[in-house]
Amino acid sequence: SATRGNHGQSIAIAAVAAGRSATIVVPHGNSPDKNEAMRAWGAELVEHGHDFQAAREYAQQLADERELELVPSYHRDLVCGVATYALELFEGVAAVGAHLDTVYVPVGLGSGISGMIVARDLLGLDTEIVGVVAERANATLLSFTAGHAVSTDSADTFIDGVACRVP
């Protein structure tokens, strides 16, 4: 898989639990702390490319060459897992008798916002969900506005979870 950190840690933990190995590709200059965490969970870490998209493309190449299954950073099963944090948020707020009018969610490939929407809808809430992108990593905003996928040449932000140039 390719990641900037959190997804890679999840994949490494799941692989170890299943008695499998995990190869995770990160871009050069990725967070040293997240890299160390992925290694600590048992992943083989490969640094490649200048950004997430380059790492993502190389991960696909490695999967093809090594006959491995690529675990994408956005997948239906992943969204279901990510939705658990949204469920915890909504249930925690309701437990103290409150209601969220609006939730702002950072958007990279979209698993976080998708999970938030799933949890909100399944709970029957009317909370507005607002996606947030970085000004210089706005492929998702451009795509949403255009109604189709729009790629950018760069995703220049220190906010690694939203640094996606191909939605």
Side-chain angles (χ1 to χ4, degrees):
S1 190
T3 187
R4 294 294 304 257
N6 296 337
H7 175 65
Q9 292 175 62
S10 300
I11 295 299
I13 292 167
V16 168
R20 306 296 236 173
S21 62
T23 301
I24 307 296
V25 182
V26 299
H28 291 289
N30 197 55
S31 164
D33 292 335
K34 289 184 178 182
N35 289 353
E36 184 54 38
M38 287 180 275
R39 285 187 185 102
W41 287 112
E44 172 194 352
L45 198 71
V46 176
E47 292 183 70
H48 182 87
H50 67 284
D51 66 6
F52 171 75
Q53 185 61 33
R56 184 179 180 188
E57 292 168 6
Y58 189 66
Q60 180 65 63
Q61 179 184 334
L62 280 180
D64 293 343
E65 290 172 358
R66 297 181 183 182
E67 297 182 355
L68 301 172
E69 183 173 344
L70 183 73
V71 178
S73 300
Y74 184 91
H75 185 275
R76 183 179 189 275
D77 293 341
L78 176 64
V79 170
C80 290
V82 173
T84 62
Y85 88 82
L87 180 63
E88 290 177 18
L89 172 66
F90 288 126
E91 287 179 341
V93 169
V96 296
H99 170 76
L100 296 172
D101 293 322
T102 306
V103 175
Y104 295 88
V105 182
V107 180
L109 291 180
S111 60
I113 195 165
S114 296
M116 185 68 68
I117 291 167
V118 166
R120 178 210 51 201
D121 290 354
L122 289 174
L123 292 170
L125 302 174
D126 63 357
T127 303
E128 179 182 13
I129 309 295
V130 178
V132 178
V133 299
E135 185 175 40
R136 293 180 295 174
N138 62 353
T140 300
L141 173 62
L142 295 172
S143 299
F144 186 78
T145 301
H148 59 85
V150 175
S151 299
T152 58
D153 293 330
S154 67
D156 184 19
T157 179
F158 68 93
I159 308 165
D160 57 15
V162 304
C164 299
R165 56 184 170 92
V166 177

